CSV table of all heavy atoms in Angstrom, one decimal:
chain,number,residue,atom,x,y,z
A,1151,TYR,N,-0.2,-0.1,5.4
A,1151,TYR,CA,-1.4,0.5,5.6
A,1151,TYR,C,-1.1,2.0,6.1
A,1151,TYR,O,0.0,2.3,6.6
A,1151,TYR,CB,-2.2,-0.2,6.8
A,1151,TYR,CG,-2.6,-1.6,6.5
A,1151,TYR,CD1,-1.6,-2.6,6.5
A,1151,TYR,CD2,-3.9,-1.9,6.2
A,1151,TYR,CE1,-2.0,-3.9,6.2
A,1151,TYR,CE2,-4.3,-3.2,5.9
A,1151,TYR,CZ,-3.3,-4.2,5.9
A,1151,TYR,OH,-3.7,-5.5,5.6
A,1152,ARG,N,-2.1,2.8,6.1
A,1152,ARG,CA,-2.0,4.1,6.7
A,1152,ARG,C,-3.3,4.6,7.3
A,1152,ARG,O,-4.4,4.1,6.9
A,1152,ARG,CB,-1.5,5.2,5.7
A,1152,ARG,CG,-2.5,5.5,4.6
A,1152,ARG,CD,-1.8,6.5,3.6
A,1152,ARG,NE,-2.8,6.8,2.5
A,1152,ARG,CZ,-2.4,7.5,1.4
A,1152,ARG,NH1,-1.1,7.9,1.3
A,1152,ARG,NH2,-3.3,7.8,0.5
A,1153,GLN,N,-3.2,5.4,8.3
A,1153,GLN,CA,-4.4,5.9,8.9
A,1153,GLN,C,-4.1,7.4,9.2
A,1153,GLN,O,-3.3,7.8,10.0
A,1153,GLN,CB,-4.6,5.2,10.3
A,1153,GLN,CG,-5.9,5.7,10.9
A,1153,GLN,CD,-6.4,4.8,12.0
A,1153,GLN,OE1,-5.6,4.0,12.6
A,1153,GLN,NE2,-7.6,4.7,12.3
A,1154,ALA,N,-4.9,8.2,8.5
A,1154,ALA,CA,-4.9,9.7,8.7
A,1154,ALA,C,-5.8,10.0,9.8
A,1154,ALA,O,-6.7,9.3,10.2
A,1154,ALA,CB,-5.3,10.4,7.4
A,1155,ALA,N,-5.6,11.2,10.4
A,1155,ALA,CA,-6.3,11.6,11.5
A,1155,ALA,C,-7.8,11.7,11.1
A,1155,ALA,O,-8.2,12.2,10.1
A,1155,ALA,CB,-5.9,13.0,12.0
A,1156,GLY,N,-8.6,11.0,12.0
A,1156,GLY,CA,-10.1,11.0,11.7
A,1156,GLY,C,-10.6,10.1,10.7
A,1156,GLY,O,-11.8,10.1,10.3
A,1157,LYS,N,-9.7,9.3,10.1
A,1157,LYS,CA,-10.1,8.4,9.0
A,1157,LYS,C,-9.8,7.0,9.4
A,1157,LYS,O,-9.0,6.7,10.3
A,1157,LYS,CB,-9.3,8.8,7.7
A,1157,LYS,CG,-9.7,10.1,7.2
A,1157,LYS,CD,-9.1,10.4,5.8
A,1157,LYS,CE,-9.5,11.7,5.3
A,1157,LYS,NZ,-8.9,12.0,3.9
A,1158,GLU,N,-10.4,6.0,8.7
A,1158,GLU,CA,-10.1,4.6,8.9
A,1158,GLU,C,-8.8,4.2,8.3
A,1158,GLU,O,-8.3,4.9,7.3
A,1158,GLU,CB,-11.2,3.8,8.3
A,1158,GLU,CG,-12.6,4.0,9.0
A,1158,GLU,CD,-13.6,2.9,8.6
A,1158,GLU,OE1,-13.3,2.1,7.6
A,1158,GLU,OE2,-14.7,3.0,9.1
A,1159,ARG,N,-8.2,3.2,8.9
A,1159,ARG,CA,-7.0,2.6,8.3
A,1159,ARG,C,-7.2,2.0,7.0
A,1159,ARG,O,-8.3,1.4,6.8
A,1159,ARG,CB,-6.4,1.6,9.3
A,1159,ARG,CG,-5.0,1.1,9.0
A,1159,ARG,CD,-4.6,0.2,10.1
A,1159,ARG,NE,-4.3,1.0,11.4
A,1159,ARG,CZ,-4.3,0.5,12.6
A,1159,ARG,NH1,-4.5,-0.8,12.7
A,1159,ARG,NH2,-4.1,1.2,13.6
A,1160,GLU,N,-6.3,2.3,6.0
A,1160,GLU,CA,-6.5,1.7,4.7
A,1160,GLU,C,-5.2,1.1,4.2
A,1160,GLU,O,-4.1,1.5,4.6
A,1160,GLU,CB,-6.9,2.9,3.7
A,1160,GLU,CG,-5.8,4.0,3.6
A,1160,GLU,CD,-6.1,4.9,2.4
A,1160,GLU,OE1,-6.9,4.7,1.5
A,1160,GLU,OE2,-5.5,6.0,2.5
A,1161,LEU,N,-5.4,0.0,3.4
A,1161,LEU,CA,-4.3,-0.7,2.8
A,1161,LEU,C,-3.8,0.1,1.5
A,1161,LEU,O,-4.6,0.4,0.7
A,1161,LEU,CB,-4.7,-2.1,2.4
A,1161,LEU,CG,-3.7,-2.9,1.7
A,1161,LEU,CD1,-2.5,-3.2,2.6
A,1161,LEU,CD2,-4.3,-4.2,1.2
A,1162,VAL,N,-2.6,0.5,1.5
A,1162,VAL,CA,-2.1,1.3,0.3
A,1162,VAL,C,-1.2,0.5,-0.6
A,1162,VAL,O,-1.1,0.8,-1.8
A,1162,VAL,CB,-1.3,2.5,0.8
A,1162,VAL,CG1,-2.2,3.5,1.6
A,1162,VAL,CG2,-0.1,2.2,1.6
A,1163,ALA,N,-0.6,-0.6,-0.1
A,1163,ALA,CA,0.3,-1.4,-1.0
A,1163,ALA,C,0.5,-2.8,-0.4
A,1163,ALA,O,0.5,-2.9,0.9
A,1163,ALA,CB,1.6,-0.7,-1.2
A,1164,SER,N,0.6,-3.8,-1.2
A,1164,SER,CA,0.9,-5.1,-0.7
A,1164,SER,C,1.8,-5.8,-1.7
A,1164,SER,O,1.9,-5.5,-2.9
A,1164,SER,CB,-0.4,-5.9,-0.6
A,1164,SER,OG,-1.0,-6.1,-1.8
A,1165,ILE,N,2.5,-6.8,-1.2
A,1165,ILE,CA,3.5,-7.6,-2.0
A,1165,ILE,C,3.3,-9.0,-1.5
A,1165,ILE,O,3.4,-9.3,-0.3
A,1165,ILE,CB,4.9,-7.1,-1.8
A,1165,ILE,CG1,5.8,-7.8,-2.8
A,1165,ILE,CG2,5.4,-7.0,-0.4
A,1165,ILE,CD1,7.2,-7.2,-3.0
A,1166,SER,N,3.1,-9.9,-2.5
A,1166,SER,CA,2.9,-11.3,-2.2
A,1166,SER,C,4.3,-12.0,-1.9
A,1166,SER,O,5.3,-11.4,-2.1
A,1166,SER,CB,2.3,-12.0,-3.3
A,1166,SER,OG,3.2,-12.2,-4.4
A,1167,ASN,N,4.2,-13.2,-1.4
A,1167,ASN,CA,5.5,-13.9,-1.2
A,1167,ASN,C,6.2,-14.2,-2.5
A,1167,ASN,O,7.4,-14.4,-2.5
A,1167,ASN,CB,5.2,-15.3,-0.4
A,1167,ASN,CG,4.2,-16.2,-1.2
A,1167,ASN,OD1,3.6,-15.8,-2.1
A,1167,ASN,ND2,4.1,-17.4,-0.7
A,1168,GLY,N,5.5,-14.1,-3.6
A,1168,GLY,CA,6.2,-14.3,-4.9
A,1168,GLY,C,6.6,-13.0,-5.5
A,1168,GLY,O,7.2,-13.0,-6.6
A,1169,GLY,N,6.3,-11.9,-4.9
A,1169,GLY,CA,6.8,-10.6,-5.4
A,1169,GLY,C,5.7,-9.8,-6.2
A,1169,GLY,O,6.0,-8.7,-6.6
A,1170,SER,N,4.5,-10.3,-6.3
A,1170,SER,CA,3.5,-9.5,-7.0
A,1170,SER,C,3.0,-8.4,-6.1
A,1170,SER,O,2.9,-8.6,-4.9
A,1170,SER,CB,2.3,-10.4,-7.3
A,1170,SER,OG,2.7,-11.5,-8.2
A,1171,THR,N,2.8,-7.2,-6.7
A,1171,THR,CA,2.4,-6.1,-6.0
A,1171,THR,C,1.1,-5.5,-6.4
A,1171,THR,O,0.6,-5.7,-7.5
A,1171,THR,CB,3.5,-5.0,-6.2
A,1171,THR,OG1,3.6,-4.6,-7.6
A,1171,THR,CG2,4.8,-5.4,-5.7
A,1172,ASN,N,0.4,-4.9,-5.4
A,1172,ASN,CA,-0.8,-4.2,-5.7
A,1172,ASN,C,-0.8,-2.8,-4.9
A,1172,ASN,O,-0.2,-2.7,-3.8
A,1172,ASN,CB,-2.0,-5.0,-5.2
A,1172,ASN,CG,-2.4,-6.1,-6.2
A,1172,ASN,OD1,-2.9,-5.8,-7.2
A,1172,ASN,ND2,-2.0,-7.3,-5.8
A,1173,TYR,N,-1.4,-1.8,-5.5
A,1173,TYR,CA,-1.4,-0.5,-4.9
A,1173,TYR,C,-2.8,0.1,-4.9
A,1173,TYR,O,-3.6,-0.1,-5.8
A,1173,TYR,CB,-0.5,0.4,-5.7
A,1173,TYR,CG,0.9,0.0,-5.7
A,1173,TYR,CD1,1.4,-0.8,-6.7
A,1173,TYR,CD2,1.8,0.3,-4.7
A,1173,TYR,CE1,2.7,-1.3,-6.7
A,1173,TYR,CE2,3.1,-0.1,-4.7
A,1173,TYR,CZ,3.6,-0.9,-5.7
A,1173,TYR,OH,4.9,-1.3,-5.7
A,1174,ALA,N,-3.1,0.9,-3.9
A,1174,ALA,CA,-4.3,1.7,-3.9
A,1174,ALA,C,-4.2,2.8,-5.1
A,1174,ALA,O,-3.1,3.2,-5.4
A,1174,ALA,CB,-4.5,2.4,-2.6
A,1175,ASP,N,-5.3,3.1,-5.6
A,1175,ASP,CA,-5.3,4.1,-6.7
A,1175,ASP,C,-4.6,5.4,-6.3
A,1175,ASP,O,-3.9,6.0,-7.1
A,1175,ASP,CB,-6.7,4.4,-7.2
A,1175,ASP,CG,-7.3,3.2,-8.0
A,1175,ASP,OD1,-6.5,2.3,-8.4
A,1175,ASP,OD2,-8.5,3.2,-8.2
A,1176,SER,N,-4.8,5.8,-5.1
A,1176,SER,CA,-4.2,7.0,-4.6
A,1176,SER,C,-2.7,7.1,-4.6
A,1176,SER,O,-2.2,8.2,-4.5
A,1176,SER,CB,-4.8,7.3,-3.2
A,1176,SER,OG,-4.5,6.3,-2.3
A,1177,VAL,N,-2.1,6.0,-4.6
A,1177,VAL,CA,-0.6,6.0,-4.5
A,1177,VAL,C,0.1,5.3,-5.7
A,1177,VAL,O,1.3,5.4,-5.8
A,1177,VAL,CB,-0.1,5.2,-3.2
A,1177,VAL,CG1,-0.8,5.8,-2.0
A,1177,VAL,CG2,-0.3,3.7,-3.3
A,1178,LYS,N,-0.7,4.8,-6.6
A,1178,LYS,CA,-0.2,4.1,-7.8
A,1178,LYS,C,0.7,5.1,-8.6
A,1178,LYS,O,0.3,6.2,-8.8
A,1178,LYS,CB,-1.3,3.6,-8.6
A,1178,LYS,CG,-1.0,2.4,-9.5
A,1178,LYS,CD,-2.3,1.8,-10.1
A,1178,LYS,CE,-3.1,1.1,-9.1
A,1178,LYS,NZ,-4.3,0.4,-9.7
A,1179,GLY,N,1.9,4.6,-8.9
A,1179,GLY,CA,2.8,5.4,-9.7
A,1179,GLY,C,3.7,6.3,-8.9
A,1179,GLY,O,4.7,6.8,-9.4
A,1180,ARG,N,3.4,6.4,-7.6
A,1180,ARG,CA,4.2,7.2,-6.7
A,1180,ARG,C,4.9,6.3,-5.6
A,1180,ARG,O,6.0,6.7,-5.2
A,1180,ARG,CB,3.4,8.2,-6.0
A,1180,ARG,CG,2.7,9.2,-6.9
A,1180,ARG,CD,2.0,10.3,-6.2
A,1180,ARG,NE,1.0,9.8,-5.3
A,1180,ARG,CZ,0.9,10.0,-4.0
A,1180,ARG,NH1,1.9,10.7,-3.4
A,1180,ARG,NH2,-0.1,9.6,-3.2
A,1181,PHE,N,4.3,5.3,-5.1
A,1181,PHE,CA,4.8,4.4,-4.1
A,1181,PHE,C,5.2,3.1,-4.7
A,1181,PHE,O,4.6,2.6,-5.6
A,1181,PHE,CB,3.7,4.1,-3.0
A,1181,PHE,CG,3.4,5.3,-2.2
A,1181,PHE,CD1,3.8,6.6,-2.5
A,1181,PHE,CD2,2.6,5.1,-1.0
A,1181,PHE,CE1,3.4,7.7,-1.6
A,1181,PHE,CE2,2.2,6.2,-0.2
A,1181,PHE,CZ,2.6,7.5,-0.5
A,1182,THR,N,6.3,2.5,-4.1
A,1182,THR,CA,6.8,1.2,-4.5
A,1182,THR,C,7.0,0.4,-3.3
A,1182,THR,O,7.8,0.8,-2.4
A,1182,THR,CB,8.1,1.3,-5.3
A,1182,THR,OG1,7.8,2.2,-6.5
A,1182,THR,CG2,8.5,0.0,-5.8
A,1183,ILE,N,6.4,-0.8,-3.3
A,1183,ILE,CA,6.6,-1.7,-2.2
A,1183,ILE,C,7.6,-2.8,-2.6
A,1183,ILE,O,7.6,-3.2,-3.7
A,1183,ILE,CB,5.3,-2.4,-1.7
A,1183,ILE,CG1,5.5,-3.1,-0.4
A,1183,ILE,CG2,4.7,-3.2,-2.8
A,1183,ILE,CD1,4.2,-3.6,0.2
A,1184,SER,N,8.5,-3.2,-1.7
A,1184,SER,CA,9.5,-4.2,-2.0
A,1184,SER,C,9.7,-5.0,-0.7
A,1184,SER,O,9.3,-4.5,0.4
A,1184,SER,CB,10.8,-3.6,-2.5
A,1184,SER,OG,11.4,-2.7,-1.6
A,1185,ARG,N,10.4,-6.1,-0.8
A,1185,ARG,CA,10.7,-6.9,0.4
A,1185,ARG,C,12.1,-7.5,0.3
A,1185,ARG,O,12.6,-7.8,-0.8
A,1185,ARG,CB,9.6,-8.0,0.6
A,1185,ARG,CG,9.6,-9.0,-0.5
A,1185,ARG,CD,8.3,-9.9,-0.4
A,1185,ARG,NE,8.3,-10.6,0.9
A,1185,ARG,CZ,7.2,-11.1,1.4
A,1185,ARG,NH1,6.0,-11.0,0.8
A,1185,ARG,NH2,7.3,-11.8,2.5
A,1186,ASP,N,12.7,-7.8,1.4
A,1186,ASP,CA,13.9,-8.5,1.6
A,1186,ASP,C,13.7,-9.6,2.5
A,1186,ASP,O,13.7,-9.4,3.7
A,1186,ASP,CB,15.0,-7.6,2.1
A,1186,ASP,CG,16.4,-8.2,2.1
A,1186,ASP,OD1,16.4,-9.5,2.2
A,1186,ASP,OD2,17.4,-7.5,2.2
């Protein structure tokens, strides 16, 4: 998640326990979430 000054916290990326990922449109193609 991220929270910019004066704005609400937003979810930008998630990864399931199986490795499926989802991204907010604003970061899609630029951010990559992963897990160990």
Side-chain angles (χ1 to χ4, degrees):
Y1151 298 75
R1152 68 185 180 187
Q1153 186 167 21
K1157 295 187 176 181
E1158 292 191 356
R1159 191 172 290 159
E1160 61 172 341
L1161 178 65
V1162 297
S1164 64
I1165 184 166
S1166 73
N1167 57 348
S1170 297
T1171 58
N1172 282 287
Y1173 299 93
D1175 287 344
S1176 58
V1177 307
K1178 203 170 291 184
R1180 301 187 297 121
F1181 290 11
T1182 302
I1183 189 170
S1184 60
R1185 66 191 297 160
D1186 183 339

